[in-house]
Amino acid sequence: MKKRNPNIFFECLNHRNKKGSALVIVLLLVALITALVVEFAYEIYTDTSSVANWVDSQRASLIAKSGQSFSSEFMKEVRGYDYTHTKEIALPVPIDFGADSSLVLKAEDENSKFNINKITDPQYLDILKRMLQYLNINTNLADSIADWIDADSEPRPGGSEDKAKNAPLWSVDEVKYIKGMDTETFNKLSPFITAYGDGLININTASLTILMSLHPEMTEPMANNIISYRESEPFKSSSLPQNLSLPESVRSGLVGKITVKSSYFRIYSIARSHEITRIIESVMDTSLKVRYWREG
């Protein structure tokens, strides 16, 4: 009988171990290559998305700037009007930017608001104080704002000369830095004030709050009477019609404070390219001079 080689068993076992090790190595290599491929694909996707977003961002910014250019045509038209009576208006967009892009243009009348930079004049300071009183805000804030804006360093009763700007505001947002101004107060006041214009209020677009502030004898029924009148027929002259029921003292007191034609508008240019949105906000006058510009 033929004898078996005792080493065969160990040789087979060793052979099987080598096969198992080779399989493990192959599996490890496949896993490593797969991970590298996934990582590479992800980086390509991320880079491609980043490039696409950058392109969309640039496109949206350019469309928004185009919107500001389009708005200048509206301002040229307004220059030829005898009066204006719309507080907010959607402006036409003359170009179709395609299915994946859009542009919305809006204009808001800044002459419907009170120019807070005028309060170094006592009569305008009184208007602001009446406005604050109507909004249930401490009227001492008016003196604090005046301290911040006026050129001198003499403190008023509100006492806000410490680190005061002593110059006109560039933007209503600057009011936030004034003593006594908190977020709640700013949110109450800011819709009714502006930092632009000649100080004349457009009586065709002024809110009830503004109308109530223009004269110490103005009452809510009088202000509502003005609003009702202009809804049926806009005022065409700052010399108010005699059939408008107002006391002569109030009527004469409005002279030099009101206008019927606005010359300052806040323009919102809202552009979209795919999922990216860009907004440009500006204030422009009818001479096409840009008084304020912010991109976001």
Side-chain angles (χ1 to χ4, degrees), residues 125-173:
L125 181 60
D126 288 340
I127 291 175
L128 179 59
K129 288 182 177 181
R130 288 193 289 270
M131 187 190 307
L132 294 175
Q133 185 174 22
Y134 185 75
L135 293 171
N136 199 26
I137 298 172
N138 190 335
T139 55
N140 288 337
L141 183 59
D143 288 310
S144 296
I145 297 172
D147 262 344
W148 187 271
I149 294 172
D150 65 23
D152 63 55
S153 298
E154 294 297 321
R156 297 171 187 255
S160 189
E161 281 295 345
D162 184 34
K163 299 180 181 179
K165 182 179 182 180
N166 291 332
L169 303 181
W170 293 329
S171 166
V172 166
D173 287 339

Side-chain angles (χ1 to χ4, degrees), residues 57-81:
S57 176
Q58 295 302 305
R59 178 174 170 77
S61 294
L62 290 172
I63 292 173
K65 288 177 182 177
S66 297
Q68 290 289 330
S69 297
F70 297 150
S71 66
S72 64
E73 295 302 315
F74 164 74
M75 300 302 292
K76 290 176 185 177
E77 287 184 22
V78 170
R79 194 161 52 197
Y81 295 165

Side-chain angles (χ1 to χ4, degrees), residues 104-223:
V104 175
L105 279 177
K106 296 190 299 181
E108 292 183 0
D109 181 4
E110 285 292 290
N111 284 98
S112 68
K113 304 173 186 178
F114 173 73
N115 186 348
I116 203 163
N117 280 324
K118 296 294 182 180
I119 63 173
T120 52
D121 182 329
Q123 67 171 339
Y124 284 96
L125 181 60
D126 288 340
I127 291 175
L128 179 59
K129 288 182 177 181
R130 288 193 289 270
M131 187 190 307
L132 294 175
Q133 185 174 22
Y134 185 75
L135 293 171
N136 199 26
I137 298 172
N138 190 335
T139 55
N140 288 337
L141 183 59
D143 288 310
S144 296
I145 297 172
D147 262 344
W148 187 271
I149 294 172
D150 65 23
D152 63 55
S153 298
E154 294 297 321
R156 297 171 187 255
S160 189
E161 281 295 345
D162 184 34
K163 299 180 181 179
K165 182 179 182 180
N166 291 332
L169 303 181
W170 293 329
S171 166
V172 166
D173 287 339
E174 290 183 67
V175 174
K176 295 176 181 177
Y177 303 111
I178 295 174
K179 178 183 176 182
M181 182 66 67
D182 55 30
T183 301
E184 182 182 355
T185 303
F186 178 79
N187 290 339
K188 276 187 182 180
L189 180 61
S190 58
F192 306 106
I193 59 175
T194 181
Y196 315 100
D198 52 14
L200 295 177
I201 302 291
N202 188 340
I203 198 167
N204 280 320
T205 56
S207 65
L208 177 66
T209 298
I210 297 294
L211 293 174
M212 285 291 297
S213 308
L214 290 178
H215 195 276
E217 296 177 27
M218 182 74 76
T219 63
E220 280 199 5
M222 292 179 197

Side-chain angles (χ1 to χ4, degrees), residues 236-295:
K236 300 177 177 65
S237 168
S238 54
S239 298
L240 301 178
Q242 290 301 314
N243 60 341
L244 175 64
S245 180
L246 279 180
E248 187 56 38
S249 57
V250 174
R251 185 186 298 272
S252 60
L254 295 180
V255 175
K257 297 177 183 175
I258 61 172
T259 183
V260 295
K261 179 180 176 180
S262 298
S263 53
Y264 288 78
F265 289 84
R266 187 174 296 270
I267 308 296
Y268 293 94
S269 181
I270 306 165
R272 181 185 62 83
S273 179
H274 290 93
E275 301 301 319
I276 303 297
T277 299
R278 287 290 177 266
I279 301 173
I280 296 180
E281 177 186 351
S282 71
V283 174
M284 190 183 302
D285 63 29
T286 48
S287 71
L288 306 186
K289 185 173 182 179
V290 176
R291 307 284 179 162
Y292 174 81
W293 184 278
R294 180 171 67 180
E295 297 186 36

